[in-house]
């Protein structure tokens, strides 16, 4: 609880590191774990903005560590990378994209690999898609989990669909609260919390079972990667990241600027996800020009298929990596 560390990996060629490196002119933290450091690199781009997963993903990636060097990164302003070094002026999509490419090149050099694999979740899918669009030569395969193309469009659609659910279930309190606050974007965090509350109540939010968020909190408390003070840092980083990045994120629509991808792409979508409803993404995906693309439904998931149906996620990543 008082000193950051990552658990040892006891194989001859294993690697287990938790460290800060300079990315984009500021110190940012990464964890690097794998049973054999000669294996390909798999980089995770967490959601949010600001929702680091480094302290909670350990149990979910153990099998991947047998086949990859698994890298988790607390993006600037998030988790361990929330520091006074990070200015609000630096919280731009362009800077985050530059950070992603810089980290990619660091990992390529560190492990002497021409290309790496990349996984984006939610907000991380915006970064992932931009990265493969700008530098396709750096990546073997892109895995987009709960892909976002236009945050403003999915937020508005999410609101409309959850209000429809409330009416279908005759949930009077939900109907009143959702109607009174109106459609997004909202100026008050209170409205975001109300919206999120009903996503969870109607089993369409972070997870279908509604308990994944509590599981994450428990895992964070038990994590060796985060101290108690780091948990406070995590909360501050979420607020900082959302406050200083979300307006620009809402103004972006990747469906208008990316219609061709040169990297194999697999999208993994929770059937019950109303946080980022799939309809607009599926329309874009069906028209997308790509040498190799696949859309995979996760039938028992909402917004977090990589955690909710973890084994299916792992099997799919291994199958795609094995076919490269």
């Amino acid at each position: 609880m008082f000193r950051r560390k990552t658990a040892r990996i006891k194989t001859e060629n294993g690697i287990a590191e938790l460290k800060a490196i300079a990315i984009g002119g500021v110190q940012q933290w990464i964890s690097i774990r794998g049973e054999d450091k000669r294996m390909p690199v798999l980089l995770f781009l967490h959601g949010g903005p600001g929702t680091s997963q480094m302290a909670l993903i350990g149990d979910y990636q153990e099998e991947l560590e047998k086949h990859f060097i698994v890298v988790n990164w607390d993006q600037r302003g998030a988790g361990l990378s929330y520091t006074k070094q990070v200015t609000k002026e630096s919280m731009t999509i362009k800077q985050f994209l530059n950070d992603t490419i810089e980290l990619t090149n660091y990992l390529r050099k560190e492990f002497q690999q021409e290309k790496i694999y990349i996984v984006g979740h939610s907000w991380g899918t915006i970064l992932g898609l931009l990265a493969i669009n700008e530098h396709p030569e750096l990546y073997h395969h892109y895995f987009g989990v709960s892909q976002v193309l236009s945050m403003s469009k999915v937020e508005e659609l999410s609101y409309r669909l959850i209000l429809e659910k409330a009416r279908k279930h005759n949930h009077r309190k939900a109907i009143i609260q959702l109607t009174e606050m109106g459609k997004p974007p909202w100026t008050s965090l209170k409205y975001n919390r109300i919206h999120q509350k009903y996503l969870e109540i109607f089993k369409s939010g972070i997870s279908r079972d509604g308990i994944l968020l509590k599981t994450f909190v428990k895992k964070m408390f038990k994590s060796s990667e985060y101290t108690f003070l780091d948990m406070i840092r995590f909360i501050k980083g979420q607020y900082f990241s959302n406050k200083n990045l979300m307006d620009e994120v809402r103004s972006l629509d990747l469906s208008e600027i990316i219609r061709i991808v040169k990297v194999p792409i697999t999208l993994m979508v929770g059937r019950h996800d109303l946080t980022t409803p799939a309809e607009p993404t599926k329309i874009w995906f069906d028209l997308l020009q790509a040498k190799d693309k696949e859309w995979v439904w996760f039938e028992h998931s909402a917004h977090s298929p990589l955690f909710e149906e973890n084994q299916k996620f792992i099997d799919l990543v291994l199958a795609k990596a094995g076919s490269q």
Side-chain angles (χ1 to χ4, degrees):
M1 290 293 288
F2 302 102
R3 186 169 66 88
R4 299 169 186 159
K5 61 180 180 180
T6 191
R8 289 179 58 199
I9 290 179
K10 300 176 182 179
T11 56
E12 183 179 355
N13 291 305
I15 183 169
E17 295 181 351
L18 176 65
K19 61 184 180 181
I21 62 172
I23 306 174
V26 297
Q27 294 295 297
Q28 300 188 43
W29 283 78
I30 57 174
S31 69
I32 305 175
R33 297 183 54 81
E35 293 188 5
D36 189 338
K37 55 189 174 186
R38 298 168 296 185
M39 290 295 174
V41 172
L42 178 68
L43 171 62
F44 277 94
L45 305 176
H46 66 67
T51 310
S52 161
Q53 65 183 33
M54 187 186 295
L56 55 86
I57 198 173
D59 294 341
Y60 298 103
Q61 70 175 41
E62 284 185 357
E63 188 172 345
L64 290 173
E65 291 172 8
K66 299 175 183 177
H67 306 275
F68 296 96
I69 303 163
V70 181
V71 180
N72 278 279
W73 164 39
D74 279 10
Q75 299 160 19
R76 69 171 52 227
L80 302 183
S81 301
Y82 171 68
T83 69
K84 291 181 180 179
Q85 284 186 315
V86 180
T87 65
K88 62 182 181 180
E89 290 79 15
S90 75
M91 298 291 285
T92 67
I93 293 173
K94 180 61 177 175
Q95 183 61 64
F96 274 78
L97 176 57
N98 289 343
D99 288 354
T100 303
I101 300 303
E102 187 174 339
L103 176 56
T104 295
N105 285 326
Y106 169 86
L107 295 170
R108 291 171 62 237
K109 182 179 179 181
E110 186 77 5
F111 296 102
Q112 299 180 8
Q113 297 184 17
E114 182 181 354
K115 299 181 180 183
I116 70 170
Y117 293 88
I118 190 168
V119 180
H121 179 216
S122 196
W123 144 252
T125 65
I126 293 177
L127 286 182
L129 201 54
L130 285 170
I132 67 167
N133 181 64
E134 185 160 307
H135 285 286
E137 75 279 3
L138 302 182
Y139 301 101
H140 288 295
H141 199 111
Y142 167 64
F143 300 94
V145 185
S146 306
Q147 179 70 50
V148 178
L149 299 171
S150 168
M151 189 69 79
S152 62
K153 286 181 181 178
V154 297
E155 283 183 336
E156 189 169 329
L157 181 56
S158 173
Y159 169 79
R160 177 168 63 80
L161 292 176
I162 208 65
L163 181 56
E164 286 178 5
K165 269 189 175 282
R167 288 169 174 157
K168 180 180 178 181
H169 290 85
N170 197 28
H171 195 300
R172 295 186 62 81
K173 185 176 180 180
I175 294 169
I176 291 170
Q177 287 189 313
L178 290 168
T179 302
E180 284 181 348
M181 66 193 228
K183 67 181 183 179
W186 301 299
T187 55
S188 171
L189 287 175
K190 172 186 174 182
Y191 294 150
N192 285 287
R193 288 194 292 268
I194 291 171
H195 178 236
Q196 188 63 46
K197 177 179 76 172
Y198 289 117
L199 283 170
E200 301 303 325
I201 286 174
F202 294 119
K203 303 183 185 303
S204 304
I206 300 301
S207 66
R208 191 184 179 195
D209 61 19
I211 64 173
L212 189 60
L213 191 57
K214 294 179 182 177
T215 301
F216 286 166
V217 172
K218 291 178 182 177
K219 287 184 179 296
M220 193 175 294
F221 269 99
K222 293 179 179 179
S223 166
S224 62
E225 282 81 6
Y226 273 30
T227 66
F228 178 75
L229 291 177
D230 291 332
M231 296 175 202
I232 298 173
R233 189 191 305 270
F234 173 90
I235 295 169
K236 289 182 176 179
Q238 277 193 308
Y239 177 78
F240 174 80
S241 299
N242 271 274
K243 180 181 178 181
N244 293 297
L245 192 58
M246 278 304 292
D247 284 348
E248 185 186 5
V249 172
R250 289 191 177 102
S251 72
L252 183 69
D253 188 348
L254 295 184
S255 66
E256 296 295 325
I257 60 178
I258 299 179
R259 295 186 173 92
I260 302 171
V261 294
K262 298 178 181 179
V263 173
I265 177 173
T266 302
L267 298 192
M268 308 180 190
V269 185
R271 180 69 76 174
H272 306 275
D273 183 11
L274 292 187
T275 301
T276 54
E279 181 183 353
T281 304
K282 188 63 166 67
I283 293 170
W284 168 82
F285 180 83
D286 287 343
L287 297 173
L288 180 68
Q289 296 180 49
K291 180 180 178 181
D292 182 359
K293 65 177 184 177
E294 184 176 8
W295 178 284
V296 182
W297 285 110
F298 281 63
E299 299 292 342
H300 307 291
S301 295
H303 189 57
S304 306
L306 72 167
F307 302 119
E308 296 176 87
E309 295 181 70
N310 182 239
Q311 192 58 54
K312 180 175 180 176
F313 166 76
I314 290 171
D315 291 344
L316 189 54
V317 170
L318 292 178
K320 291 296 182 181
S323 67
Q324 298 299 313

